[in-house]
Amino acid sequence: MKIKQAARVFLAALLAAGPLSAWPADAPAQLRDFAAKVNSGTGQFTQQTIGAKGEGKRPQSGEFSFKRPGQFKWAVKKPYEQLIVSDGKLVYQYDPDLAQVTERKVDQSIGASPAAILFGSGSLDEAFSIAALPGKDGLDWLRATPRSADAGFTHVDIGFQGNLPARLELLDSFGQTTRIELSHIAANPDLASGEFRFVPPKGVDVVKMQ
């Protein structure tokens, strides 16, 4: 999975992470409060990747929604459209410009990405080290560091405002940082029953990843 896609799926999986029992007992308080008190939500995001020399790639923006356990929608609106949807079992990535849908099992989609930290599959303690960081920019921070040397990223920092995530910064193995800013989060709204159902549009190619 590409790092940019991994960052998006990680953030969406953070929002839709599984039961509190799946989280390490020593996880920072903000993380555990978020898991315990926020069962669904909607909001907006902006995302940008900064190169190792400080050069910025074109920013993206869009909307997201989630419902525990494991359901989420991550919709890029600008500068182009892209959609990632999980119904809790399968993850669909739809690229309208390519007229293509990629379908993966949830575990397959996040197994090698930072999303595995918070999705509740496998042993989090075996795969990641999670620790609190000093506050900055008015946010409370934690860092998730993969224990595997070939994970493809160095660490993921998550900034919380209250018990809601407000910023995510993922440093990859090439020195690039992907920053995602969250805003206008509505906690525990009523969501339509079909919010996370995805049907591929007619005429698009569907690629099922084994």
Side-chain angles (χ1 to χ4, degrees), residues 2 6 12 30 36 50-51 77 83 103 112-113 115 128 149 151 153 177-178 200:
K2 295 180 180 179
Q30 296 91 341
I50 307 298
K77 301 293 186 180
L83 178 66
E103 176 186 309
S113 81
F128 299 93
F153 62 97
T177 298
T178 297

Side-chain angles (χ1 to χ4, degrees), residues 75-97:
V76 177
K77 301 293 186 180
K78 296 179 180 181
Y80 53 82
E81 292 190 7
Q82 187 180 65
L83 178 66
I84 301 174
V85 181
S86 170
D87 60 10
K89 296 180 180 179
L90 297 173
V91 176
Y92 303 91
Q93 180 173 334
Y94 174 40
D95 289 290
D97 290 345

Side-chain angles (χ1 to χ4, degrees), residues 17-25 32 35 116-125 130:
L20 191 62
S21 60
W23 302 52
R32 297 183 65 81
I117 294 173
L118 303 173
F119 207 80
S121 59
S123 173
L124 301 179
D125 289 319
I130 301 176

Side-chain angles (χ1 to χ4, degrees), residues 15 34 37-45 64-68 163-165 182-191 196:
L15 297 171
F34 174 64
K37 298 176 181 178
V38 183
N39 295 313
S40 63
T42 60
Q44 299 174 8
F45 70 86
F64 66 86
S65 57
F66 68 93
K67 184 178 181 180
R68 303 181 192 279
N163 67 335
L164 296 175
L182 302 181
S183 62
H184 300 92
I185 298 179
N188 300 317
D190 291 328
L191 298 173
F196 307 103

